[in-house]
Amino acid sequence: MKNAVEIEGIDVFYNDVQVLNNINLKVKENDFLAIIGPNGGGKSTLLKAILGLIRLRTGCIKIFDEPLNKSKEIIGYVPQFSSFNKSFPITVKEVVLMGMLKKNNKLFMKFNSGEENKAERIMKKLDIFQLKDRQIGQLSGGQLQRVLIARALAVEPKILLLDEPTASLDANVKTQIFNILKDLNEEMTIILVTHDMSAISTYVKNIACLNKELFYHGEPRLNEEILGRVYGCPVDIIAHGIPHRVLHEHKEVKHD
Ligand SMILES: Nc1ncnc2c1ncn2[C@@H]1O[C@H](COP(=O)(O)OP(=O)(O)OP(=O)(O)O)[C@@H](O)[C@H]1O
């Protein structure tokens, strides 16, 4: 199986502060990888590096065996929810169509019937077609997240990156979003940043634990030592609420 993403020895600095240190990571085609780790651990930075938005001090990133700058493979990106301006006066359909702008380099929002049809297909797939003329400021969090995923799908990506797609959503909506991602994973490689430990054991195929360095990469089964090292705090704080399937060798801590 091909490598969708191959990261070789990358270091990233913001000014003089190092945020990623010698990261090596191979993500196979059709993987469903969750990047987990503490706040400020460099997870979003790693996604931006895969998108080619961050200058690497050392190392390189290949997408389907091509260097980032030569890669023709298209990557879809769903940014952190909080970074999206909900007050911008734009409809659901317009947001999805905007996803095509990058590919076609259009200056004005004029789309041909093929593009309109494609946007319609994607909106139906994500069950937001009935909302197509709604202003985005009038959507629920879960609906807006589906719109942002639809926008990312408009470029027909082979790799979909998502930055905390279920943050601040309630449990039912989280499940909906993860089910959508599970379906999409049939067709594309998915890499997401998440703090949602409960979804990890159910949906993802592999995890990467990041805190400036990559502490673990593999199946979503962790032991206390790795979690303690990556989060840098006593493991029973992290273990709270994590299913034991994730904490493979975790033993019940008895409190008197
Ligand atoms: N543009 C920037 N300029 C300077 N420092 C930055 C910039 N972006 C991020 N940082 C810093 O780099 C470190 C890693 O940030 P990053 O957003 O990648 O972490 P994260 O693991 O995604 O965090 P969180 O879980 O809180 O979203 C943090 O200390 C952050 O403050």
Side-chain angles (χ1 to χ4, degrees), residues 14-15 19 37-46 80 163-164 193 195:
Y14 288 121
N15 303 316
V19 290
N39 291 122
K43 304 180 296 298
S44 301
T45 302
L46 187 61
Q80 257 182 36
D163 203 340
E164 298 192 36
V193 168
H195 290 283

Side-chain angles (χ1 to χ4, degrees), residues 24-28 31-36 200-201 203-210 214-223 226 245-246 248:
N24 291 281
L25 179 67
K26 287 179 183 158
V27 186
K28 295 273 182 218
D31 199 354
F32 190 153
L33 176 78
I35 303 173
I36 65 168
I200 284 173
S201 60
Y203 292 94
V204 312
K205 296 176 182 164
N206 284 294
I207 57 174
C209 300
L210 187 69
L214 190 65
F215 283 85
Y216 173 85
H217 176 218
E219 289 184 10
R221 290 179 171 180
L222 286 170
N223 61 37
I226 295 167
R245 261 186 300 164
V246 176
H248 189 46

Side-chain angles (χ1 to χ4, degrees), residues 126-128 142-150 176-177 180:
L126 290 183
D127 200 18
I128 49 171
Q143 288 168 338
L144 180 59
Q145 195 56 273
R146 279 185 280 148
V147 173
L148 296 181
I149 294 171
Q176 272 176 22
I177 299 287
I180 289 169

